């Protein structure tokens, strides 16, 4: 087991937490009924966030975030960079960075690891991420799969983010020297679970709307239409009878 260099950990932590904070800030701005920020204002905002997080020691918010949450995973870092790139290109809201297959894989693997960490499975899955054989083999297979996806242009941004995370682990052992910390963290797992829940709610709403449009018109509605038509014609008939009586 080899651990990353402390200096590289500090630099990585500041950059990664800055990307996460900037992504969360822009996500909050997307919820507000305001126009998208122009590129110059967006650049100034991002520069301010990154400068603030690169401050030395306890002056950096990353210092306190690292104490509470350790380091973001390399995959979360990559996904946040993708979201920032979407904002920079003017795609407010942008496309789905957390695609359903990726979200499902993160949600399932995260649930297994967290259950194991809580002692409900006790299989030592997390510590296997430090292993000298299994972890490098999984990283190699994952890198090959990402390379194939990029060549075939299948989910290329997500595959690039995952490949970058694996390379960070392979070359620099970032962020902690454990493969699972490279591919997963609580924030990324929450993002995946929230995305799957939102997708399920949206699909349920679409199915409900589709069923409503396919339902036949109720019989009583047709009767009401007939009665209203008769009621509209009744005054004219009464006028004609009155004129003929005169």
């Amino acid at each position: 087991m080899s651990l990353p260099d402390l200096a590289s950990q500090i630099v990585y932590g500041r950059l990664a937490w800055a990307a996460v904070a900037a992504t969360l800030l822009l996500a909050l701005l997307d919820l507000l009924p305001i126009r998208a920020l122009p590129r110059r204002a967006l650049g100034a905002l991002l520069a301010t966030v990154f400068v603030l997080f690169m401050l030395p020691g306890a002056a950096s918010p990353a210092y306190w975030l690292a104490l509470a949450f350790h380091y973001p995973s390399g995959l979360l870092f990559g996904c946040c960079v993708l979201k920032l790139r979407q904002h920079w290109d003017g795609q407010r809201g942008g496309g789905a960075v957390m695609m359903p297959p990726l979200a499902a894989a993160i949600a399932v693997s995260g649930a297994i690891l967290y259950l194991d960490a809580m002692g409900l499975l006790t299989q030592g899955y997390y510590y296997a991420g430090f292993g000298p054989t299994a972890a490098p083999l999984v990283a190699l297979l994952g890198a090959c799969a990402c390379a194939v996806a990029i060549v075939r242009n299948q989910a290329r941004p997500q595959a690039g983010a995952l490949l970058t995370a694996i390379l960070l682990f392979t070359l620099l052992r970032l962020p902690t020297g454990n493969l699972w910390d490279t591919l997963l963290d609580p924030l990324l797992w929450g993002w995946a679970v929230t995305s799957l829940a939102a997708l399920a709610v949206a699909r349920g709403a679409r199915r409900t709307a589709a069923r409503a449009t396919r339902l036949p018109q109720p019989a009583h509605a047709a009767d009401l239409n007939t009665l209203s038509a008769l009621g509209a014609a009744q005054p004219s008939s009464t006028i004609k009878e009155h004129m003929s009586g005169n």
Side-chain angles (χ1 to χ4, degrees):
M1 178 182 69
S2 59
L3 298 178
D5 181 70
L6 181 59
S8 62
Q9 274 187 311
I10 294 174
V11 173
Y12 168 82
R14 277 158 169 67
L15 289 174
W17 277 121
V20 172
T23 303
L24 291 175
L25 178 59
L26 292 180
L28 292 176
L29 291 178
D30 283 342
L31 298 177
L32 300 177
I34 59 175
R35 296 177 57 186
L37 293 176
R39 180 167 291 189
R40 181 174 297 180
L42 179 60
L45 178 62
L46 294 179
T48 302
V49 172
F50 276 86
V51 169
L52 180 63
F53 273 76
M54 291 303 293
L55 292 175
S60 172
Y63 174 85
W64 303 102
L65 289 171
L67 289 179
F69 305 106
H70 211 52
Y71 298 120
S73 64
L75 185 54
L76 176 61
F77 184 24
C79 289
C80 289
V81 171
L82 291 180
K83 291 298 292 184
L84 294 178
R85 177 63 184 271
Q86 288 180 353
H87 279 277
W88 185 256
D89 292 338
Q91 304 174 18
R92 188 176 183 182
V97 170
M98 189 61 64
M99 298 180 67
L102 178 62
I106 293 173
V108 172
S109 59
I112 294 174
L113 286 172
Y114 293 143
L115 289 174
D116 184 68
M118 289 186 294
L120 299 178
L121 296 179
T122 63
Q123 298 298 316
Y125 293 131
Y126 175 76
Y127 297 103
F130 288 113
T133 304
L137 181 59
V138 172
L140 177 60
L141 293 177
C144 292
C146 292
V148 171
I150 292 173
V151 171
R152 293 184 177 181
N153 198 20
Q154 297 177 344
R156 179 175 288 181
Q158 290 77 8
L162 182 56
L163 180 59
T164 302
I166 294 175
L167 290 178
L168 281 173
F169 168 77
T170 304
L171 300 177
L172 301 175
R173 307 294 293 176
L174 290 171
T176 65
N178 189 303
L179 177 62
W180 306 127
D181 289 336
T182 302
L183 305 178
L184 186 66
D185 63 72
L187 288 177
L188 184 65
W189 187 77
W191 186 357
V193 172
T194 303
S195 299
L196 291 176
L199 180 63
V201 171
R203 287 182 176 177
R206 286 197 297 267
R207 289 176 182 175
T208 302
R211 290 173 183 173
T213 57
R214 290 196 299 266
L215 289 176
Q217 185 179 16
H220 69 275
D223 296 339
L224 290 176
N225 292 336
T226 303
L227 291 175
S228 62
L230 291 176
Q234 185 175 0
S236 61
S237 301
T238 306
I239 293 174
K240 290 180 181 179
E241 292 175 357
H242 179 71
M243 292 178 64
S244 61
N246 292 338

